[in-house]
Amino acid sequence: MRRCSGQRRMAGLIAACCLGVSAQAQAVEVDNMRLWSAPDHVRLVFDMSGPVNANVFTLDNPDRVVIDLDSTDLDFDIGKLDLDDSAISKVRTGVRESGGLRVVLDVSRAVAPKSFTLPPNDQYSDRLVVDLDYPGASAVKDPIDPIEAMIRDQEIAAQRAQTEAVAEGNPRKAEAVASAVEAQPHPRRDIIVAVDPGHGGEDPGASGPDGTHEKDVVLQIARKVKQRFDQTPGFKAFLTRDGDYYIGLRQRTLIARQQKADFFVSVHADAVRSAQPYGSSVYALSQGGATSETARWLAASENQSDLIGGVDGNLSLDDKDEVLRGVLLDLTMTATMNDSLATGGQVLDQLGRINKLHKSSVEQAGFVVLKSPDIPSLLVETGFISNPREEAQLKSPAHQAELAQAIYEGIVAHFRQHPPPSSLLAWQRDQGRGSASNEYRVQGGDTLSQVASSHGISMKVLKQANGLDSDILRVGQVLTIP
């Protein structure tokens, strides 16, 4: 009996040792940490060998954020983290008394932490994402002037009232609202354009054969687009992101609405498995789905960004009348889509002058970033980053400038033909309408074809009337309109 009891005791010790070894073998390792600083938050991502349980909380005096990870070891040099432009002043780590990893973030301002985990995908292993939001901060570095925003608010309210009158079958009311808007003094506001560089942060987008990331080249192009608009009287642009950080797809459209944007353009670079396809494409929203199998696949792949970023949301229509909601949404969306398609045609025409077009007409797909019912929106695929030749072009500052100019000229051409009632462009048009000399003064970004088209004449007639030997115009030049 004693011998049997000893054998049992020995077996138990062996089993306990085996369990201990098994528990150690199952400990999760943090093998990388990545940090991105945005104007309104900082995101810290832990790349791990497996899933973990995490507890995130704050401490005062001094302000700290504590991240406790159960059964976790650290295999990363935290000194590699770049804390510049973030609320995190220092990162400290240690082993908890109960086991596991403790990460302490010393912060220099008030933060509101939130966290979530993400399962492995094609790009990353298991991840813990910790976002430190800055209460009251804006996601946009250069917010639109509040006076311009107020003017845009008044204009949207008037347009909505007119739409409701049409939905109610009351044309006289609609005409009265339109007359009231026209009777107001011209504030000559700027037309506001939201320029959206796709992807960002832990979502690199597509990658080229030479390792070029989509998120980097589209940010460079988007900055050039913004610069062109800001150089043009009557326009002002802002970027939904101006750095290497992630913004959710719904958040991008929300930023555009908060900034009272008149137009939204999202800049991307295409990619497929084959290295052969090349050329630019332009997409507008489709209510009934994509217009081709390629467009449907592309829409689905782009929308996967929200799975990478861990963001979700729904467009709210709570501010619209309950009874008229369906009708208003249909009317508004139809008008918005018509403007999007018309502008898309202008952008595609400009892109075709500098680059091969992958699609000769504006495609339509269900991209999340295009789903603002009241903001005309486009998604521009500047080229195929998966094509070695186009990858090299997309990295070229000169080619980026040409792409930016094409996007800019296409959008400007649309607004010169259809300026918002309270805009500087509308005032300029109205001033020209009453001019006996039929003269037009060239603005920044004007092309001969745009001026001719906006006045309903051909380029040949316009050149003959002004004795022009070339298509080149200079800012301030006065043209006679026959």
Side-chain angles (χ1 to χ4, degrees), residues 152 156 159 192-194 238 252-265 285 315 332-333 335-337 339-340 369-378 415:
R152 175 73 171 124
I156 291 174
Q159 291 172 344
I192 302 168
V193 180
F238 66 90
R252 295 168 192 261
T253 59
L254 178 60
I255 291 171
R257 181 166 288 103
Q258 289 172 339
Q259 295 295 312
K260 316 301 180 187
D262 294 279
F263 200 88
F264 178 96
V265 57
L285 181 65
L315 186 62
T332 304
M333 185 67 82
T336 300
M337 287 175 59
D339 279 346
S340 301
V369 292
L370 301 181
K371 291 186 176 180
S372 291
D374 54 344
I375 305 176
S377 306
L378 291 176
F415 279 111

Side-chain angles (χ1 to χ4, degrees), residues 59-60 89 199 252 282 333 367 418:
L59 295 174
D60 300 328
S89 56
H199 308 280
R252 295 168 192 261
V282 176
M333 185 67 82
F367 294 114
H418 308 285

Side-chain angles (χ1 to χ4, degrees), residues 95-237:
V95 178
R96 298 165 57 198
E97 291 183 3
S98 58
L101 176 67
R102 167 163 288 187
V103 179
V104 180
L105 311 176
D106 294 336
V107 292
S108 57
R109 62 179 295 174
V111 297
K114 59 184 179 183
S115 64
F116 55 89
T117 58
L118 293 171
N121 60 21
D122 293 339
Q123 295 173 317
Y124 300 112
S125 59
D126 282 277
R127 287 147 292 156
L128 168 68
V129 181
V130 178
D131 283 336
L132 307 182
D133 292 337
Y134 306 156
S138 170
V140 181
K141 288 186 178 180
D142 52 347
I144 300 302
D145 184 270
I147 295 178
E148 294 179 2
M150 179 186 68
I151 294 169
R152 175 73 171 124
D153 267 342
Q154 293 172 347
E155 187 175 328
I156 291 174
Q159 291 172 344
R160 181 173 297 164
Q162 190 173 8
T163 303
E164 290 177 356
V166 173
E168 293 169 357
N170 191 342
R172 291 186 178 179
K173 180 180 177 181
E175 291 175 3
V177 172
S179 299
V181 173
E182 293 175 0
Q184 294 176 357
H186 257 303
R188 306 179 194 178
R189 73 169 180 86
D190 288 338
I191 294 170
I192 302 168
V193 180
V195 186
D196 174 52
H199 308 280
E202 73 273 28
D203 173 22
S207 296
D210 198 34
T212 307
H213 292 319
E214 177 184 3
K215 67 174 183 178
D216 297 325
V217 296
V218 299
L219 177 58
Q220 292 160 5
I221 295 169
R223 283 172 174 164
K224 291 178 171 62
V225 175
K226 177 186 184 304
Q227 184 181 41
R228 287 298 293 115
F229 277 114
D230 288 345
Q231 291 172 343
T232 306
F235 286 90
K236 186 170 184 180

